[in-house]
Amino acid sequence: MFCFKDPSHVNSAETAGVMFVNIGNRRGVSHLWKFDYDLVVIGGGSGGLACSKEAAQLGKKVAVLDYVDPSPKGTKWGLGGTCVNVGCIPKKLMHQSALLGTAVKDARKYGWNIPAPVSHDWPTMAEAVQNHVRSLNWGHRVQLQDKKVKYLNLRGSLVDEHTIRGTILTAGNIVLATGMRPKYPSNVPGAVEHGITSDDIFWLKESPGKTLVVGASCILLSASAPWLQFGCIGLDTTIMVRSIALRGFDQRLAASRGELLAGHCQVAEMSCHFCCRLALWDRLPQMAGLVTDYMDTYGTKFTWKCIPKKVEKLASGALQVTWEDLGRTAETKTLNLEKIGVALQKESGKVIVGDDESSSVPNVFAIGDIAEGRPELTPVAIKAGKLLARRLFSPSTELMNYDNSQQCIPVLIHLQQQVPTTVFTPLEYGCVGLPEEEAERRYGKDAIEVYHAFFKPLEFSVAERDSSQCYIKVVCLREGDQPIVGLHFTGPNAGEVTQGFALGFQCGATYRHLLDTVGIHPTCAEEVIKLNITKRSGLDATTMNRFFARLTAGYEAARIADTPTATLPFPIKTSS
Ligand SMILES: Cc1cc2nc3c(=O)[nH]c(=O)nc-3n(C[C@H](O)[C@H](O)[C@H](O)COP(=O)(O)OP(=O)(O)OC[C@H]3O[C@@H](n4cnc5c(N)ncnc54)[C@H](O)[C@@H]3O)c2cc1C
């Protein structure tokens, strides 16, 4: 048997016609065989496209199979996968449309003369968004063509570890990147018949009108952008939540804030409405709670601890929902994986992968949403795909680091790959690193310091917008310069803010670095570097409560509330 140790020695000139591939497979299996392609990728979404283009750039012969099964409502789309067609892109555009609705309201306060009533035209928005998505589909086809990646609009499945059915193709390596699709709760009568999912929302030509959204995961709240956001300007929207919103995100209870508000209820004799809001505060997790509370303020209704049992259409045409889990399911069922020995995780149906994205079968890899335990995010799928192609077809050994925390061993900090993300709910929530409770679990309560502040974006002031959910939390270790292990931000442009801090995080930022950073004034991001109140101190982190403190207890209380409270192991500079 013939064996090339280093796959980089095999280039397309050598392999055209007769291809000797999968040489130097990292799992120690070597083959001498004649294959049609060096690499076949099944799934032309974020991960699959990135992986195939990278491999082609390294001189390999590559094909991508991408096929979209229509949704039960018949919705279908083009090349590019979930992100482009039914995920990040149409979601962000509809989010922007909703933000403009709020901006129009603000604009009047800023002197714009906008005749009332202002109305929103769904078909106009939908057509513009759908046209943009189609342009991206076309762009992806052109890119594949330019990079000489063969695109086949076919459903692929595996015959064996080197053979793909669709049209019969053979490949040295196979990458599975088939993503996920929404899961209908088949045990809820009427759900398939009357319900729609994120696969349909962005392709609706007409406004959905009054809507019940079932579930409150990150994806679901994002997918519901049109409803959640347009709840503010007319669409009657209710979200049904089984247990908690935004599972996996920071859930630490805002106990200190709840207590402080209660105090002010008594002192200032706040209205009943305020007390109700307080009850909500106590019940909701912190960061996630801020997001849902904001939506609640702008008219989105929530029903907690409910699951749908049945959906019926009434004579009036309205749907009646009697109070399981709507989620997403991995696209692995039709790939014939179990038959060829690719191990799947039983509950999720996802492919069990090693650190190098390898499955239990040599030459078969899985990236993106269908790989077990990976964050379901576009940039994660893209980076994993590129790194895998480089490891397969060049001397690179670089692995994707999925850990979401800073490794606190200084030499390793620079090697860490952190995954920042943002939930594009009406009030955006961006984060990088660990939720507070996870930091506590990993390092112990006494080993972490949490700095936090409620803040008022300047632009909210003139517009008289409620800023009580704009909040920042930075979780640090209590040692040395206090390495930052988590950063959380709810407020305008959270994605933009968090992306910048994610770079600092990647470089091993500490609380001291925050203090030493010069702000850009006046911005919301600047508030992050001004943090000086620790949760441990129990002091009030709200501007509003400092104001009440002045009213009720005089300036001494306010002065104490304003005093930096961290006992720092290093001197701090103060600025206004
Ligand atoms: C509503 C929504 C909003 C989101 N918002 C964000 C966001 O803001 N930011 C972010 O980072 N992530 C977001 N995501 C997640 C992101 O879209 C996914 O993590 C990402 O698209 C996963 O990429 P992938 O390559 O694993 O799979 P996908 O992009 O899903 O691509 C898989 C492709 O494979 C095709 N396919 C499936 N089976 C076969 C087969 N047998 N043969 C051929 N082709 C097949 C599919 O049709 C699809 O085209 C969102 C997701 C949703 C649903």
Side-chain angles (χ1 to χ4, degrees):
M1 179 158 300
F2 226 92
C3 168
F4 285 100
K5 282 263 161 31
D6 183 345
S8 63
H9 297 151
V10 184
N11 60 38
S12 50
E14 286 166 307
T15 56
V18 180
M19 204 163 300
F20 302 95
V21 286
N22 187 33
I23 297 150
N25 182 295
R26 305 254 174 250
R27 321 182 89 220
V29 180
S30 303
H31 293 273
L32 172 60
W33 202 254
K34 183 178 169 182
F35 298 120
D36 300 323
Y37 290 93
D38 292 303
L39 173 69
V40 167
V41 178
I42 307 183
S46 311
L49 289 176
C51 184
S52 61
K53 286 187 286 185
E54 192 72 15
Q57 228 154 355
L58 290 166
K60 299 299 155 192
K61 192 174 176 196
V62 185
V64 174
L65 277 70
D66 188 64
Y67 183 82
V68 180
D69 265 326
S71 76
K73 296 283 166 221
T75 313
K76 219 176 163 342
W77 50 88
L79 179 64
T82 303
C83 168
V84 168
N85 296 284
V86 287
C88 326
I89 301 295
K91 182 273 305 281
K92 182 80 191 289
L93 292 174
M94 290 197 177
H95 176 64
Q96 174 64 11
S97 176
L99 292 181
L100 287 172
T102 313
V104 167
K105 286 182 192 160
D106 289 358
R108 293 201 177 97
K109 291 263 168 45
Y110 280 95
W112 286 95
N113 191 0
I114 300 170
V118 176
S119 63
H120 181 265
D121 185 53
W122 183 286
T124 304
M125 173 190 70
E127 192 186 342
V129 170
Q130 289 158 18
N131 283 343
H132 180 72
V133 168
R134 287 192 189 99
S135 76
L136 296 180
N137 297 146
W138 176 248
H140 281 302
R141 288 184 81 136
V142 171
Q143 279 183 29
L144 289 183
Q145 215 167 10
D146 287 351
K147 296 213 154 60
K148 306 210 170 4
V149 174
K150 179 81 180 163
Y151 162 54
L152 297 159
N153 183 208
L154 293 171
R155 184 207 310 272
S157 62
L158 301 192
V159 178
D160 61 42
E161 74 263 45
H162 288 293
T163 314
I164 300 101
R165 191 174 16 230
T167 167
I168 293 288
L169 298 174
T170 56
N173 292 286
I174 296 170
V175 170
L176 308 171
T178 49
M180 299 178 86
R181 293 292 290 270
K183 182 171 71 180
Y184 273 90
S186 49
N187 54 338
V188 178
V192 180
E193 200 182 336
H194 303 300
I196 63 167
T197 68
S198 59
D199 278 357
D200 307 296
I201 294 170
F202 306 112
W203 295 90
L204 292 179
K205 298 224 174 324
E206 298 295 331
S207 165
K210 185 174 178 176
T211 305
L212 173 73
V213 177
V214 181
S217 66
C218 162
I219 291 285
L220 217 89
L221 288 188
S222 294
S224 312
W227 290 316
L228 302 182
Q229 329 256 355
F230 292 117
C232 319
I233 57 165
L235 290 192
D236 186 339
T237 311
T238 304
I239 302 177
M240 185 183 284
V241 190
R242 184 174 54 173
S243 54
I244 55 169
L246 295 174
R247 187 177 295 282
F249 287 78
D250 187 284
Q251 304 283 331
R252 176 46 42 91
L253 284 164
S256 59
R257 178 163 166 84
E259 284 151 20
L260 286 163
L261 285 175
H264 289 301
C265 273
Q266 287 154 13
V267 174
E269 293 179 1
M270 303 297 285
S271 70
C272 169
H273 170 67
F274 196 70
C275 291
C276 293
R277 296 263 311 278
L278 171 67
L280 198 63
W281 268 115
D282 273 344
R283 189 159 51 83
L284 290 175
Q286 187 159 358
M287 302 308 298
L290 292 167
V291 169
T292 50
D293 195 34
Y294 184 90
M295 294 192 293
D296 179 65
T297 309
Y298 280 88
T300 301
K301 289 168 256 169
F302 285 86
T303 63
W304 297 94
K305 308 252 181 254
C306 293
I307 50 172
K309 286 273 163 56
K310 133 178 109 165
V311 184
E312 293 160 297
K313 194 164 198 162
L314 305 179
S316 64
L319 297 175
Q320 178 174 288
V321 182
T322 313
W323 321 117
E324 218 127 340
D325 192 15
L326 275 188
R328 291 173 67 76
T329 181
E331 280 285 275
T332 47
K333 281 195 196 76
T334 57
L335 291 170
N336 205 28
L337 297 180
E338 274 163 319
K339 208 154 182 196
I340 71 155
V342 173
L344 302 179
Q345 211 276 338
K346 217 168 151 202
E347 282 83 39
S348 66
K350 293 188 175 198
V351 180
I352 297 172
V353 283
D355 291 347
D356 60 353
E357 330 295 351
S358 57
S359 75
S360 53
V361 171
N363 328 315
V364 178
F365 300 83
I367 53 171
D369 287 5
I370 64 152
E372 177 63 22
R374 306 308 197 207
E376 291 159 18
L377 293 167
T378 287
V380 173
I382 291 175
K383 182 136 198 183
K386 281 188 180 171
L387 292 178
L388 172 60
R390 285 179 205 158
R391 286 196 306 277
L392 287 173
F393 302 118
S394 82
S396 169
T397 54
E398 191 186 347
L399 293 173
M400 175 82 188
N401 187 333
Y402 294 96
D403 191 7
N404 204 22
S405 66
Q406 284 199 77
Q407 184 58 261
C408 289
I409 306 166
V411 287
L412 286 183
I413 283 178
H414 296 283
L415 303 177
Q416 292 301 306
Q417 173 65 50
Q418 276 77 41
V419 180
T421 189
T422 290
V423 188
F424 291 97
T425 32
L427 183 71
E428 296 176 8
Y429 167 24
C431 60
V432 54
L434 302 178
E436 185 184 342
E437 58 271 36
E438 177 60 17
E440 214 174 279
R441 195 188 63 76
R442 285 198 196 185
Y443 303 109
K445 195 176 167 88
D446 288 340
I448 61 168
E449 195 75 89
V450 179
Y451 295 88
H452 68 154
F454 288 88
F455 69 100
K456 186 170 187 101
L458 177 65
E459 49 274 40
F460 279 28
S461 313
V462 169
E464 293 174 27
R465 266 164 74 180
D466 178 15
S467 63
S468 51
Q469 293 90 14
C470 296
Y471 178 69
I472 304 161
K473 182 201 290 196
V474 171
V475 185
C476 303
L477 294 187
R478 286 178 89 198
E479 60 183 34
D481 285 349
Q482 302 195 340
I484 299 171
V485 294
L487 188 147
H488 304 263
F489 178 101
T490 50
N493 307 309
E496 313 297 337
V497 171
T498 312
Q499 183 69 81
F501 283 106
L503 172 66
F505 201 84
Q506 172 81 3
C507 299
T510 62
Y511 178 65
R512 188 188 186 121
H513 286 130
L514 273 194
L515 293 181
D516 288 348
T517 301
V518 177
I520 299 175
H521 188 69
T523 61
C524 292
E526 176 193 29
E527 301 298 330
V528 179
I529 60 152
K530 289 188 343 199
L531 290 177
N532 64 10
I533 305 277
T534 62
K535 258 193 166 178
R536 184 186 307 280
S537 72
L539 286 181
D540 181 4
T542 67
T543 321
M544 189 174 71
N545 284 338
R546 279 187 216 122
F547 170 76
F548 279 124
R550 284 195 177 93
L551 275 185
T552 56
Y555 279 90
E556 185 54 18
R559 193 188 61 73
I560 293 168
D562 282 340
T563 306
T565 54
T567 316
L568 292 172
F570 47 84
I572 60 165
K573 296 171 201 161
T574 49
S575 62
S576 61

